[in-house]
Amino acid sequence: MPSWRCLFTVPPPRQGVEALLLLLARVVAGVMFCVSGWNKVFTDAGRERMVHTLIDAGIPFPVVSAPVLGGIEWIAGGLLVLGLLSRPSALLLAAICAVAALTDGIARIPAGLSVPDWLSWFFYLSEVPLGVLLLWVAAVGSGRFAIEARAALQ
C-alpha cells in the first residue's frame, strides 16, 4: 500500500488510558484549532490579525492565505474533535504548527541567547508541543472514542 494511503486507514482502536489520552488530545487540539479557524474566517478582527501575522512572517499571498489557513484549521479541527479523518487532519494541523513555529514563533525568540536558552524558548512556543501532540494522533490514529473507530468496527 502506498505510504499516503496509510493516513486514511483506521488502525485498531487503542485501549485503556491511551484511548482516553487520545480523546483528550483530539478534543483539546481540535477545539483550539476549530475556534481559531472560525475567528480567522468569519470575524474581521481575526482575519486582520492573521493577515498581519502572515505579512510579518513573510508568508506569500497573505490576504488569500489567511482565510484558506483559517478554513483548514476550522474544518480539520472539527474533524479531529469528532474523530473523523483524524490522521490526515492531525497531519495538516501539525504542518501548520511547524510553519508557524519556524516563521512567527522563531521571530518572537530574543536575539543573543545561548543555545540552551534558545532551545528553552523554542520548546516553550505553543506550536511545538501542540505539533508533536498532533503527530502522535497522526501516527497512532484517533483511538476508540472516535466516530471513525466505531465505523471501522462495523
Side-chain angles (χ1 to χ4, degrees):
M1 163 179 351
S3 59
W4 63 269
R5 290 180 116 183
C6 71
L7 283 174
F8 296 95
T9 61
V10 179
R14 303 297 173 143
Q15 303 292 322
V17 174
E18 188 178 19
L20 291 172
L21 290 173
L22 278 165
L23 173 64
L24 183 63
R26 282 190 6 255
V27 169
V28 168
V31 168
M32 190 220 67
F33 272 109
C34 198
V35 170
S36 173
W38 174 271
N39 283 326
K40 291 170 187 167
V41 172
F42 297 108
T43 69
D44 293 334
R47 194 169 33 259
E48 280 184 39
R49 270 192 314 275
M50 182 63 171
V51 168
H52 290 296
T53 300
L54 294 176
I55 290 169
D56 292 344
I59 304 296
F61 312 110
V63 174
V64 175
S65 298
V68 168
L69 287 170
I72 291 169
E73 289 180 8
W74 177 46
I75 293 167
L79 289 170
L80 203 56
V81 170
L82 295 172
L84 282 171
L85 296 174
S86 296
R87 297 173 89 189
S89 295
L91 195 60
L92 274 172
L93 295 172
I96 289 173
C97 286
V99 171
L102 296 173
T103 56
D104 179 58
I106 285 180
R108 290 180 275 152
I109 298 175
L113 297 175
S114 66
V115 172
D117 285 339
W118 191 92
L119 287 171
S120 177
W121 274 81
F122 180 74
F123 289 120
Y124 267 94
L125 295 172
S126 61
E127 298 90 351
V128 175
L130 183 59
V132 171
L133 184 75
L134 289 163
L135 287 175
W136 176 53
V137 174
V140 302
S142 56
R144 71 183 293 188
F145 303 112
I147 292 173
E148 64 193 5
R150 297 289 175 217
L153 293 175
Q154 296 175 355

